[in-house]
């Protein structure tokens, strides 16, 4: 009798624990904060900033799992930042289209939609972020004006950890589509980023001061770099990304600021470049201060007609203020770089172009199984290298570099 009683108590305790687990854990559905309930109107004309912020604030303050819900329809949204920290995991679920303003008085800010100081954030839902860039691109004068005013980045993540972005489409961003700064453990997957090839500074994903960033299954067609990684980018994995049109996947430019800059632990794998300007590129300013880019692997990459499939450019200096381009004086050390299993067609004769620094040559550069051809006038594809220390393995076409 006593034994059964003890057993009963144990079973009851166990059940009670299970209920507690369910309450605290992930098995309960999230609490929904529908922007329409907070006054948002999906007519494409009403500014919904206040309603979105109200929904965010309440969701963010909720201690369990919360979901800001944007249903089908077109929601006009002005420049806004969603700020944490939040009390629990939070998702931002977009079913419909969020549309940016076209009023030029609203353009000159660096963020359209920002998420800041948040952990355990998920942005998803299959919806669209429409940056309405067509209205803003004519105002971009950065090619001729060093002090050009910023145009808004569509999605900006600052100090966001343990978070992910998935199943979304960003179109016609005014400036970059996605900017990642000071983030950690952040995954972007199944995302499409689209803007015309001649849209100015519409980078796909720009990363700085962040680590453990994973970008997978992403299609990027845009007017600037598909992905760019600048100082402080560390442990970045890029897998199954297609780029084109666009300026390629770039590391740098490094060495312009007055601090020691570094980039390390970059893997770019199973990617294709289709009609892009560049394929994979590392660029550093010249002249520059001491900085370092190391431990980078570019592997299993298909090139379909990029102009410059494989590039290291240590004389990067697009503006007219630069010194003569004769010899690179870049003090950025590039080392431990592997280019492996890269094949396809280059749309210019120089398929492999490694121009390292005259003061700090590139070290431990490995070329493995490269097969790039050129079908235009002037003969076969060639490679061009200077100040590169490294080795080659497997079959190399064009050969002759290392
Ligand atoms: C993100 O991680 C960094 C470093 O691990 C930490 O300093 C920061 O407080 C975290 N931010 C949030 C919003 O959790
Ligand atoms: C990102 O992906 C990696 C590997 O798939 C996984 O271990 C990690 O938990 C993911 N992070 C987030 C925040 O989803
Ligand atoms: C390089 O690719 C071409 C097709 O683009 C192919 O015909 C050739 O056999 C390949 N060469 C090597 C060494 O793999
Ligand atoms: C972007 C890219 O080239 N992705 C390829 C990754 O590998 C799989 C399997 O080989 C291909 O189907 C993808 O096209």
């Amino acid at each position: 009798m006593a034994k059964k009683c003890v057993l009963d108590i144990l079973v009851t305790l166990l059940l009670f624990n299970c209920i507690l687990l369910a309450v605290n854990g992930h098995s309960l559905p999230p609490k929904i904060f529908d922007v329409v309930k907070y006054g948002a109107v999906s007519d494409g004309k009403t500014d919904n900033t206040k309603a979105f912020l109200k929904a965010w604030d309440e969701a963010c303050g909720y201690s369990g799992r919360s979901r800001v819900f944007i249903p089908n329809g077109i929601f006009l949204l002005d420049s806004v930042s969603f700020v944490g920290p939040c009390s629990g995991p939070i998702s931002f679920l977009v079913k419909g289209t969020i549309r940016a303003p076209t009023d030029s008085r609203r353009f000159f800010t660096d963020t359209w939609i920002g998420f800041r100081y948040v952990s355990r954030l998920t942005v998803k839902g299959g919806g669209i972020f429409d940056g309405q860039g067509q209205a803003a691109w004519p105002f971009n004068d950065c090619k001729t004006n060093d002090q050009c005013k910023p145009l808004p980045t569509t999605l900006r993540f600052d100090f966001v950890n343990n978070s992910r972005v998935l199943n979304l489409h960003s179109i016609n961003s005014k400036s970059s589509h996605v900017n990642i700064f000071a983030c950690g453990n952040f995954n972007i997957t199944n995302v499409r980023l689209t803007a015309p090839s001649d849209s100015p500074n519409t980078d796909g994903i720009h990363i700085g001061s962040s680590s453990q960033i994973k970008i997978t299954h992403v299609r990027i067609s845009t007017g600037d770099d598909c992905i760019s990684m600048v100082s402080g980018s560390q442990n970045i994995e890029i897998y199954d990304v297609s780029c084109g049109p666009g300026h390629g996947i770039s590391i740098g430019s490094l060495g312009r600021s007055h601090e020691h800059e570094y980039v390390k632990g970059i893997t770019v794998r199973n990617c294709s470049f289709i009609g892009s300007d560049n394929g994979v590129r590392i660029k550093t300013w010249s002249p520059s201060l001491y900085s370092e880019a190391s431990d980078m692997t570019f592997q299993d990459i298909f090139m379909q007609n990029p102009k410059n499939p494989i590039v290291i450019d240590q004389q990067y200096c697009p503006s007219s203020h630069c010194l003569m381009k004769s010899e690179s004086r870049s003090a950025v050390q590039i080392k431990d770089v592997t280019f492996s299993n890269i094949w396809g067609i280059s749309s210019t004769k120089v398929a492999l172009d490694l121009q390292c620094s005259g003061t700090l040559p590139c070290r431990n550069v490995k070329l493995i199984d490269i097969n790039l051809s050129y079908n235009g006038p002037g003969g076969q594809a060639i490679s061009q290298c200077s100040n590169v220390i490294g080795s080659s393995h497997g079959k190399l076409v064009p050969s002759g570099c290392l």
Side-chain angles (χ1 to χ4, degrees), residues 120-121 161-164 184-187 212 214 237:
R120 294 184 291 168
L121 166 71
N161 290 344
N162 308 321
S163 295
R164 55 207 183 117
N185 184 19
F186 190 105
N187 296 349
Q212 274 180 277
K214 213 169 165 169
E237 200 179 328

Side-chain angles (χ1 to χ4, degrees), residues 371 373 395 397:
N371 185 7
S373 55
K395 290 190 173 137
V397 182

Side-chain angles (χ1 to χ4, degrees), residues 219 239-242 270-272 300 302:
R219 305 280 165 266
Y239 177 82
D240 190 18
V241 169
S242 83
N270 186 220
C271 291
S272 29
D300 305 331
F302 171 59

Side-chain angles (χ1 to χ4, degrees), residues 74-104:
I74 299 173
F75 293 88
L76 182 68
L77 187 66
D78 210 332
S79 189
V80 60
S81 279
F82 300 111
V83 183
C86 296
S87 310
I90 184 164
S91 64
F92 193 90
L93 190 125
V94 185
K95 283 278 174 214
T97 297
I98 303 183
R99 185 175 279 176
T102 51
D103 176 352
S104 62

Side-chain angles (χ1 to χ4, degrees), residues 196-208:
S197 59
D198 58 354
S199 55
N201 302 117
T202 51
D203 290 61
I205 303 173
H206 183 77
I207 304 169

Side-chain angles (χ1 to χ4, degrees), residues 78-144:
D78 210 332
S79 189
V80 60
S81 279
F82 300 111
V83 183
C86 296
S87 310
I90 184 164
S91 64
F92 193 90
L93 190 125
V94 185
K95 283 278 174 214
T97 297
I98 303 183
R99 185 175 279 176
T102 51
D103 176 352
S104 62
R105 283 168 300 181
R106 304 272 172 223
F107 292 171
F108 300 106
T109 163
D110 66 6
T111 307
W112 175 28
I113 300 171
F115 292 93
R116 322 183 62 184
Y117 306 106
V118 193
S119 195
R120 294 184 291 168
L121 166 71
T122 306
V123 183
K124 63 177 179 182
I128 298 172
F129 291 89
D130 180 0
Q132 303 259 45
Q134 310 88 314
W137 298 324
F139 292 87
N140 181 317
D141 60 355
C142 295
K143 267 206 168 133
T144 51

